[in-house]
C-alpha cells in the first residue's frame, strides 16, 4: 500500500484515473472561472466563510467494472463541470462519498475493489486538495476487513473518514457483528457518513409505483430505522465517541423524535435493554446534513439536534438541493455564528479542513 506522501508526489494527472478529464485542464478552467468573477464567495456578517459540502457523490468507473457495472448517471464521473458547478453554487470544498454497491461481493473481490477505489479517491484529493476531500469506502459486509480499510484510508491515504450505507444487504448496523468496525471508527475519531441503501424486498415492493417512492420516502425511512436501532440496541452507549453524520437531515427521526421517548414509557415491556439516557438525547451526539428543503424544516432540525450538529449538504450531482448555501443563509432565526457553522465550520472541524 503506497504512503500518502507517495500519492501526493504522483498526483499529477491523477484525476484522469477517476475519470476526471485531467487536472491541468481542470486547473486552467478553474483559474479562468475565478478570473472571470464566476466563483461565488460566501460572506456572513462581513466575513468570508469557507463552505464545505459534506454530501457530494462521485464514482470510480474502474472499480465498478470489477462487478460488471457501469456508472449511472454519467454526472457521477468527475469532470470539468464539477468545479464549475461548485463555483456557481458557492461551494469551496466537497467531501466526496460513494454509495455502496459492493455489499454482496466476495471477500477477495471486495478487498481489491475497495483498495482501487480508495486509492483513486486519494489521488483525486491529492491533486486538488483545496477543493476536495473524501470519505474512505469500506467492505462493511466483512466488519474486520472494513475496520482495516478504514484505518488504511485515514492513516495511509489521507482520507477524512468513512462512508457506509444505512444497512448492509438488509442487516442492521447495530448488529454486534459490526462492533469491530464501530470500535475502529471510534478509535480513529473520524467522521462516518451514513447514506441510505434501500430496504428489504418487501419494503421495496410497497414503494413501487408513481412518485419514485423508493427514494422519496424509502431513503429517509432507511436512515430513520438505522439510527433508531443504533440508539435502542445500545450501540451509541457502547461506542459513545462515534462521530456519525446522517444524510438527508437524519431522515424522519428528528421530526418525530419525542415518540421515541414516549415508546418505552408507554410500553416498557418492549424496551428490555436499558439505555443510559432518553432516546432523544442521542440525537444531539450525531451529525446531520442540511438537506431538508425548507427554512422551517432546517429551523426545526436545528431546534431538535442543535445547530452545531448540522453541516451543509447538496447531494450533488443529484439536483435535490442546488441552493444549499442560500437555504442556510435565508433560514430565519439562525444567528450569524450558526450560519457560518452550518456552511462550513462544523464540517471543516470534523474533516480536518483548514480555515
Amino acid at each position: 500500500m503506497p504512503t500518502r506522501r507517495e500519492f501526493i508526489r504522483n498526483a499529477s494527472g491523477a484525476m484522469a484515473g477517476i475519470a476526471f478529464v485531467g487536472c491541468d485542464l481542470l486547473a486552467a478552467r478553474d483559474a479562468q472561472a475565478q478570473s472571470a468573477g464566476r466563483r461565488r464567495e460566501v460572506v456572513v456578517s462581513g466575513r468570508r466563510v469557507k463552505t464545505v459540502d459534506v454530501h457530494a457523490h462521485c464514482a470510480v468507473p474502474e472499480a465498478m467494472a470489477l462487478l460488471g457495472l457501469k456508472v449511472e448517471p454519467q454526472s457521477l464521473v468527475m469532470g470539468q463541470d464539477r468545479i464549475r458547478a461548485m463555483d456557481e453554487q458557492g461551494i469551496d470544498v466537497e467531501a466526496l462519498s460513494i454509495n455502496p454497491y459492493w455489499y454482496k461481493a466476495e471477500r477477495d473481490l471486495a478487498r481489491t475493489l475497495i483498495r482501487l477505489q480508495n486509492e483513486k479517491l486519494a489521488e483525486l484529493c491529492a491533486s486538488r486538495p483545496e477543493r476536495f476531500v473524501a470519505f474512505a469506502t469500506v467492505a462493511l459486509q466483512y466488519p474486520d476487513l472494513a475496520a482495516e480499510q478504514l484505518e488504511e484510508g485515514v492513516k495511509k491515504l489521507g482520507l477524512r473518514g468513512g462512508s457506509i450505507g444505512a444497512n448492509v444487504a438488509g442487516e442492521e448496523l447495530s448488529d454486534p457483528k459490526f462492533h469491530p468496525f464501530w470500535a475502529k471508527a471510534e478509535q480513529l475519531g473520524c467522521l462516518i457518513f451514513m447514506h441510505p441503501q434501500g430496504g428489504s424486498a418487501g419494503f421495496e415492493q410497497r414503494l413501487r409505483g408513481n412518485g419514485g417512492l423508493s427514494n422519496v420516502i424509502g431513503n429517509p425511512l432507511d436512515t430513520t430505522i438505522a439510527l433508531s436501532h443504533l440508539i435502542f440496541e445500545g450501540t451509541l452507549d457502547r461506542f459513545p465517541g462515534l462521530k456519525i453524520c446522517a444524510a438527508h437531515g437524519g431522515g424522519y427521526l428528528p421530526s418525530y423524535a419525542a415518540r421515541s421517548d414516549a415508546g418505552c414509557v408507554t410500553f416498557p415491556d418492549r424496551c428490555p435493554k436499558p439505555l443510559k439516557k432518553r432516546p432523544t438525547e442521542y440525537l444531539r451526539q450525531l451529525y446531520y446534513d442540511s438537506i431538508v428543503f425548507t427554512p422551517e424544516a432546517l429551523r426545526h432540525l436545528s431546534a431538535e439536534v442543535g445547530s452545531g450538529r448540522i453541516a451543509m449538504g447538496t447531494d450533488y450531482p443529484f439536483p435535490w438541493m442546488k441552493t444549499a448555501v442560500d437555504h442556510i443563509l435565508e433560514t430565519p432565526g439562525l444567528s450569524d455564528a450558526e450560519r457560518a457553522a452550518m456552511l462550513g465550520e462544523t464540517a471543516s472541524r470534523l474533516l480536518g479542513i483548514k480555515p
Side-chain angles (χ1 to χ4, degrees), residues 326-341:
D326 294 321
H327 179 49
I328 293 171
L329 290 176
E330 296 173 3
T331 292
L334 299 177
S335 69
D336 286 343
E338 288 174 318
R339 297 183 205 280

Side-chain angles (χ1 to χ4, degrees), residues 205-224:
Q205 185 173 1
R206 290 197 65 199
L207 297 174
R208 292 176 181 173
N210 191 46
L213 300 186
S214 63
N215 190 317
V216 173
I217 293 176
N219 276 5
L221 183 56
D222 191 25
T223 302
T224 302

Side-chain angles (χ1 to χ4, degrees), residues 1-3 7 17-18 60 62-64 66 98 101-102 105-124 135-139 145-146 148-153 156-157 159:
M1 172 69 69
T3 66
F7 269 116
I18 197 170
V60 177
E62 300 96 320
M64 294 187 71
L66 294 177
I98 300 175
Y101 56 87
W102 52 85
E106 295 295 329
R107 187 181 181 97
D108 289 343
L109 178 56
R111 183 189 296 275
T112 300
L113 186 154
I114 294 299
R115 175 169 292 180
L116 171 62
Q117 198 157 245
N118 287 347
E119 287 178 353
K120 294 299 184 183
L121 286 170
E123 290 172 358
L124 166 62
F135 293 102
T137 56
V138 297
L145 177 59
E148 294 175 12
Q149 293 166 334
L150 180 64
E151 186 165 35
E152 288 179 351
K156 294 185 178 181
L157 301 180
L159 301 173

